[in-house]
Amino acid sequence: MSPDPAEAQETAEGRGSAKERSSAEGREQGRRLSPARVLDVDPLLDDPKTRIVVCCGSGGVGKTTTAAALGLRAAERGRKVVVLTIDPARRLAQSMGIDSLDNVPRRVKGTEDQGEASGGDAAEGGGGRRAGGELHAMMLDMKRTFDEVVEAHADPERAAAILANPFYQSLSAGFAGTQEYMAMEKLGQLRAKDEWDLIVVDTPPSRSALDFLDAPKRLGSFLDGRLIRLLTAPAKLGGRAGMAFLNVGMSMMTGTLGKLLGGQLLKDVQTFVAAMDTTFGGFRTRADATYKLLQAPGTAFLVVAAPERDALREAAYFVERLAAEEMPLVGLVLNRVHGSDAGRLSAERALAAAENLEDPRIVDQGGGKAGLRNSPESYGSSRSPASETSDASETATDATASEEGSPADTERPVDRLTAGLLRLHADRMQLLAREQRTCDRFTARHPEVAVVEVPALPGDVHDLTGLRDIGTRLAAGATERTDATERREPT
Amino acid sequence: MSRLQVVSGKGGTGKTTVAAALALALATEGKRTLLVEVEGRQGIAQLFETEALPYEERKIAVAPGGGEVYALAIDPELALLDYLQMFYKLGGAGRALKKLGAIDFATTVAPGIRDVLLTGKACEAVRRKDKKGRFAYDYVVMDAPPTGRITRFLNVNDEVAGLAKIGPIHNQAQAVMRVLKSPETAVHLVTLLEEMPVQETADGIAELRAARLPVGRVIVNMVRPQVLDAADLELVGTVKRSSVAQALSAAGLGGARRGGNAEKLVDPLLRQAAEYAERYALEQEQRGALGELGLPLGELPLLAEGMDLAGLYELATELRKQGLS
């Protein structure tokens, strides 16, 4: 946790963009997943020009946790942060004090403000905690947000009519798409308030997770569409010359809609649309503004994924969509990456050794050479033959020594346990290999995307300590690679 | 066995995989099942390693014993046009509607219409009969939206029936609700042995029950094999490092002396065991929580090789073994 000052300097200048690392460095032994570019989150969070961080990704990859951890870290590094979460797990929400739905940001208690005003040098290590930071958080209440928009754009009488309309009530209570519109609306509101210098937003768990990008546009095209004009003033349209063909379509349409929806629902919709008419302009302007805000230089998109096939496929899709929409992607956060400090012992060798312990006859073959199959793909296999040979004589003596005491009894609890440890390790190494393959596929497809890996935790995170830990791991992802290499180097 | 099997679960728990395995399992021994996708993610096509599914029922797999699995990715827009044509012979009006943006409105903006179309199409497949009066499909398995949205998704017809108090949409919504709230339907929830998915499962069940939707079972997915048992775990805390080093050495992994290769493995391996122990304890806790739900539980193993088509057949066999299909 003490980054090389020169390096920190360099990244501070690079403003959160990835630093190129020589691929040979660190890749050989320690780190398993080896993206071409490494994402360094601290410079990104520290940069005053970063105003919005959007965390997107498929469900179940830890988006909300990542957003909360980034927010906490930024706050403890001196920024005034608000985290907008959409659907946090209950205990996480409770720990941040945002489990009550009042749709306004609340200050999160228990964030550490060390008062170390002097520590404000970007090049300084030591956790980088700085004074003056604040963490606020809120959970989106989409109905309330929708109501607020209506109230802001319509006079009280009209607003009351809209809020009482049955069609509006269903629409705002959260049918497909409403959550996305309202998440973006809330983001726009928070940004407009300018009370915070960093907004971290978690995106809704949508069908297709980029619905929140489409939402403003879709709303806009709908509101500009002919359907709205039809619903609001069919007579006006019908009276225009040169629209005869359309006219036929129109009357058929109104008839069809009436037939389909039932007269009363159509009336509800028409009343709603008529009442909303004056507010639509505002809606549309806001939707456009939010979309532009997302494309602006102060916004940073982080795609969150886990090293699993589906999650990374979705991540690749996100990366492509963001590029197509000209949204500023800064990198991929890869959560729950597994590692091993015994990475040089391959799964195959561990299994063979476990079998040796469970079936003692093989042990007699000295050095355990029997069954020591080294897959060429396994980690560290390249160096094992040499160390194995140099170690062999020693092994033989040790083995003999241990056999004197209790001649190879499989029921010996320590042997049983050790065999279990080795099987556990083999499972771990197979998991690593699978994660590696999955990630390689992503990296091959998107070598331009900077990646930061967050090591897996055994349990869930539901307090600030846990979030702080995740934050540390997020930041360490960029520096750990060299440490890990040292730690895992044999000799 | 309910003929409409709805599979939901928190994101990342593998509900698409479980739905597909269930469709395969139910098709075993000459049955015919339809696997329905409603979220436009093309997860089924990816799982079965075929090209993207069109809006068309198409055979995608053969089950052991000669059964067939068909798949359908329901596209709400096409479902709406389909519906207009089927009931009102409104093909032309459908195009006019599309031009006006009404179809887009109906399937993306208008409350619930999208969900009505999706559930409506699935229920139509459940009720469909061939010329001889037999059901077109023995079972319909739906890869449904995640737990957080499942109740609203399935219950939307109730709401729509309330909004449109008369007319064809009202009738259609009610007909769908009759299927969804009957024993013909079972809603299964997929979970992992982790806190958040289990919590969400418990919340989801409470919501489904409150809406009087028939809850089927909880399927625990990706269950890791037990590598160390309770006795082992107890020993992990007390065992002498040197004994483990000696055992590793005896197994052929190098020297047990300080600095020897076997000795250097001891700490990392014991650390991994401690992580395992922590996770094991958390998993036991979650098992306990699931036990309190009062629902039948099924378990599917974590496949060491990752998910592929062969793995899907393996899971289907496992489902049959556990009597889940």
Side-chain angles (χ1 to χ4, degrees):
Chain A
M1 269 319 296
S2 54
D4 172 3
E7 193 172 275
Q9 191 69 50
E10 169 203 316
T11 55
E13 283 163 15
R15 200 223 144 216
S17 60
K19 40 189 158 174
E20 306 281 348
R21 298 237 184 175
S22 91
S23 56
E25 179 196 347
R27 176 174 294 190
E28 194 184 331
Q29 240 346 279
R31 298 301 288 181
R32 320 156 303 93
L33 316 180
S34 321
R37 289 151 54 86
V38 180
L39 174 72
D40 200 346
V41 297
D42 280 349
L44 174 72
L45 296 178
D46 290 346
D47 189 332
K49 288 198 286 292
T50 309
R51 302 299 304 273
I52 296 175
V53 173
V54 184
C55 296
C56 50
S58 54
V61 296
K63 265 193 312 259
T64 307
T65 310
T66 302
L70 285 170
L72 177 62
R73 186 165 183 88
E76 292 186 342
R77 293 174 70 85
R79 300 200 68 186
K80 196 174 174 197
V81 187
V82 59
V83 175
L84 170 60
T85 75
I86 309 299
D87 189 17
R90 193 180 304 160
R91 284 177 66 183
L92 180 63
Q94 281 166 355
S95 73
M96 297 179 80
I98 52 166
D99 48 324
S100 61
L101 268 166
D102 54 3
N103 214 27
V104 288
R106 298 276 161 197
R107 175 117 191 224
V108 179
K109 294 187 187 78
T111 61
E112 288 176 21
D113 188 348
Q114 307 287 66
E116 291 171 348
S118 61
D121 187 345
E124 206 195 339
R129 286 212 175 107
R130 257 150 283 174
E134 278 178 32
L135 179 63
H136 299 244
M138 68 165 288
M139 182 159 95
L140 179 76
D141 178 342
M142 57 185 165
K143 172 147 177 57
R144 202 126 161 189
T145 307
F146 211 147
D147 291 355
E148 286 165 11
V149 175
V150 170
E151 282 160 357
H153 288 277
D155 57 71
E157 199 183 326
R158 207 182 270 267
I162 295 172
L163 298 185
N165 184 291
F167 179 82
Y168 169 78
Q169 284 171 355
S170 315
L171 182 69
S172 61
F175 280 105
T178 310
Q179 206 174 33
E180 288 81 2
Y181 300 144
M182 291 311 135
M184 289 302 103
E185 169 62 30
K186 198 62 183 178
L187 173 62
Q189 284 179 13
L190 293 175
R191 184 68 179 80
K193 266 193 175 172
D194 211 20
E195 251 177 61
W196 297 275
D197 56 35
L198 179 66
I199 303 169
V200 183
V201 57
D202 161 33
T203 53
S206 314
R207 294 177 294 284
S208 115
L210 277 172
D211 272 3
F212 69 93
L213 281 182
D214 297 329
K217 252 204 249 168
R218 193 186 284 156
L219 187 65
S221 76
F222 162 63
L223 297 176
D224 274 356
R226 282 184 288 181
L227 182 68
I228 283 292
R229 278 177 278 154
L230 167 78
L231 287 172
T232 43
K236 206 162 54 188
L237 253 178
R240 281 161 67 177
M243 301 281 280
F245 168 73
L246 194 57
N247 198 9
V248 175
M250 287 292 182
S251 52
M252 199 161 101
M253 265 276 317
T254 332
T256 306
L257 280 177
K259 232 177 164 187
L260 269 177
L261 303 175
Q264 156 265 331
L265 176 56
L266 183 61
K267 222 177 118 232
D268 282 346
V269 175
Q270 279 175 322
T271 325
F272 167 71
V273 171
M276 287 288 278
D277 196 24
T278 49
T279 68
F280 279 153
F283 242 104
R284 159 132 205 137
T285 316
R286 292 167 85 98
D288 284 349
T290 308
Y291 190 80
K292 290 217 174 67
L293 188 62
L294 291 177
Q295 288 177 323
T299 301
F301 277 84
L302 284 174
V303 175
V304 185
E308 287 150 19
R309 197 184 54 170
D310 290 352
L312 276 169
R313 188 165 44 212
E314 197 90 341
Y317 167 73
F318 274 87
V319 167
E320 287 152 22
R321 266 302 302 276
L322 290 170
E325 305 277 341
E326 295 175 28
M327 297 287 171
L329 172 73
V330 295
L332 174 77
V333 174
L334 205 50
N335 276 330
R336 296 184 207 140
V337 173
H338 290 86
S340 173
D341 292 340
R344 23 177 241 107
L345 177 60
S346 71
E348 289 79 3
R349 286 187 66 212
L351 280 180
E355 277 163 25
N356 281 353
L357 283 173
E358 282 156 356
D359 182 359
R361 277 159 306 182
I362 302 176
V363 175
D364 295 339
Q365 296 175 8
K369 284 285 191 294
L372 294 188
R373 303 174 304 273
N374 261 330
S375 150
E377 282 164 77
S378 61
Y379 300 103
S381 59
S382 58
R383 66 177 62 247
S384 43
S387 51
E388 202 58 40
T389 323
S390 68
D391 228 24
S393 55
E394 197 190 350
T395 307
T397 13
D398 278 348
T400 322
S402 69
E403 274 163 31
E404 279 172 10
S406 61
D409 177 3
T410 34
E411 292 309 305
R412 264 183 31 156
V414 173
D415 281 355
R416 234 180 59 112
L417 171 65
T418 308
L421 294 177
L422 288 165
R423 290 193 181 279
L424 199 58
H425 179 68
D427 282 357
R428 173 68 66 96
M429 292 310 286
Q430 279 161 357
L431 178 64
L432 296 195
R434 200 164 70 233
E435 289 181 354
Q436 172 83 62
R437 281 197 300 275
T438 317
C439 295
D440 283 351
R441 230 171 286 158
F442 176 87
T443 316
R445 193 161 151 192
H446 290 291
E448 78 285 5
V449 176
V451 183
V452 62
E453 294 164 18
V454 184
L457 291 169
D460 285 334
V461 169
H462 27 58
D463 53 22
L464 291 183
T465 314
L467 287 179
R468 197 171 287 129
D469 184 23
I470 296 274
T472 310
R473 285 164 186 253
L474 262 164
T479 50
E480 193 183 85
R481 185 179 285 199
T482 29
D483 303 347
T485 315
E486 282 156 24
R487 196 171 67 235
R488 286 163 207 182
E489 204 66 47
T491 63
Chain B
M1 178 73 51
S2 308
R3 292 190 48 247
L4 176 59
Q5 306 257 325
V6 179
V7 181
S8 176
K10 182 174 164 31
T13 57
K15 66 188 170 60
T16 303
T17 308
V18 173
L22 186 58
L24 259 180
L26 288 166
T28 310
E29 308 300 340
K31 295 278 197 291
R32 183 186 286 180
T33 59
L34 178 67
L35 178 58
V36 170
E37 176 171 76
V38 297
E39 301 207 289
R41 288 187 298 122
Q42 289 294 342
I44 295 175
Q46 278 156 5
L47 206 51
F48 283 91
E49 296 164 17
T50 64
E51 60 202 75
L53 295 171
Y55 179 58
E56 177 189 295
E57 289 159 37
R58 163 179 289 203
K59 188 163 126 184
I60 51 159
V62 175
E68 295 171 321
V69 179
Y70 283 71
L72 169 69
I74 305 179
D75 177 291
E77 194 175 312
L78 294 173
L80 178 57
L81 292 175
D82 201 18
Y83 175 85
L84 290 174
Q85 178 59 25
M86 208 170 5
F87 291 96
Y88 304 100
K89 307 279 177 261
L90 285 175
R95 279 192 295 278
L97 283 166
K98 193 171 166 64
K99 226 171 165 182
L100 282 164
I103 299 285
D104 201 30
F105 168 76
T107 54
T108 59
V109 184
I113 291 189
R114 177 193 178 94
D115 294 352
V116 171
L117 288 163
L118 296 171
T119 47
K121 182 69 193 170
C123 288
E124 184 269 321
V126 171
R127 285 175 306 199
R128 195 190 309 154
K129 292 186 177 171
D130 64 14
K131 288 189 190 95
K132 290 178 194 151
R134 285 182 315 210
F135 282 119
Y137 294 103
D138 295 293
Y139 300 100
V140 175
V141 179
M142 183 196 279
D143 175 15
T147 321
R149 290 195 284 124
I150 186 66
T151 301
R152 185 173 281 279
F153 174 76
L154 294 176
N155 217 29
V156 69
N157 284 280
D158 246 9
E159 204 154 333
V160 165
L163 263 181
K165 293 195 184 65
I166 45 159
I169 288 199
H170 174 81
N171 298 341
Q172 158 81 1
Q174 286 213 314
V176 170
M177 249 20 250
R178 273 197 296 278
V179 174
L180 292 180
K181 291 199 171 172
S182 74
E184 274 213 281
T185 301
V187 184
H188 309 297
L189 295 176
V190 182
T191 186
L192 304 178
L193 285 177
E194 289 168 18
E195 191 180 324
M196 277 197 263
V198 168
Q199 181 61 50
E200 203 165 293
T201 301
D203 294 348
I205 289 167
E207 282 174 34
L208 286 166
R209 282 179 174 156
R212 296 172 185 280
L213 287 160
V215 187
R217 46 179 86 228
V218 173
I219 300 170
V220 185
N221 195 19
M222 302 190 226
V223 176
R224 284 176 256 242
Q226 187 179 23
V227 184
L228 301 178
D229 59 21
D232 290 330
L233 290 176
E234 201 177 317
L235 194 54
V236 165
T238 56
V239 72
K240 278 205 294 201
R241 291 182 71 263
S242 59
S243 330
V244 177
Q246 275 174 14
L248 287 170
S249 182
L253 292 174
R257 294 201 189 88
R258 186 169 294 277
N261 274 352
E263 193 269 344
K264 281 193 296 187
L265 285 171
V266 175
D267 283 337
L269 292 186
L270 286 176
R271 260 201 304 280
Q272 282 173 195
E275 283 170 26
Y276 176 91
E278 189 179 343
R279 209 183 57 218
Y280 180 81
L282 286 169
E283 286 183 356
Q284 290 305 102
E285 207 178 297
Q286 298 312 320
R287 259 183 225 279
L290 288 174
E292 283 167 23
L293 296 174
L295 285 174
L297 293 181
E299 280 201 9
L300 290 174
L302 176 71
L303 298 179
E305 294 307 309
M307 255 328 284
D308 58 8
L309 200 50
L312 201 57
Y313 279 84
E314 218 174 289
L315 294 183
T317 310
E318 191 59 38
L319 284 171
R320 281 192 78 77
K321 230 192 277 170
Q322 296 182 23
L324 300 183
S325 69

